Amino acid sequence: MPLSIHSQRHVQLRSCLKQLRLNSGLTQVQLAERMGLEQSQISKLERAVKFVDVWLFIDYAKACGIDPTDAMLQLCATQSTRSDIL
């Protein structure tokens, strides 16, 4: 399975991250402040310019006020609907 920021799995990951932020009522600027990042870095995550690792996912979820486990379950639920992943 190729690792690429443009793969379908990463598209779903980015979509999940953006939805977490929007559901939390946060702007990119507000989220960046909570994470100690620049707004441009949040934008790059959501636009597939930067790779998301597990630790960044955890920090992102926490900054959105979401338990990382719940965020991962949401992500896995979107992937379980795709039969071509495994």
Side-chain angles (χ1 to χ4, degrees):
M1 179 176 323
L3 293 176
S4 167
I5 60 174
H6 303 293
S7 71
Q8 183 59 38
R9 295 176 95 185
H10 209 266
V11 169
Q12 289 174 317
L13 173 58
R14 289 190 323 272
S15 177
C16 178
L17 290 174
K18 185 174 181 179
Q19 199 58 51
L20 289 174
R21 177 178 62 78
L22 294 174
N23 289 348
S24 297
L26 297 171
T27 65
Q28 288 183 349
V29 171
Q30 292 167 324
L31 180 60
E33 288 173 357
R34 288 184 179 195
M35 293 181 71
L37 302 172
E38 297 291 325
Q39 176 274 331
S40 63
Q41 292 177 290
I42 301 299
S43 176
K44 287 177 182 178
L45 292 173
E46 294 181 358
R47 291 184 298 117
V49 178
K50 185 173 178 175
F51 194 79
V52 179
D53 68 21
V54 68
W55 296 113
L56 183 58
F57 182 87
I58 289 168
D59 292 344
Y60 192 107
K62 285 181 177 179
C64 288
I66 310 247
D67 182 283
T69 303
D70 293 335
M72 186 60 72
L73 289 171
Q74 289 178 27
L75 176 62
C76 290
T78 65
Q79 288 189 334
S80 68
T81 61
R82 295 189 39 90
S83 60
D84 60 338
I85 289 176
L86 297 177

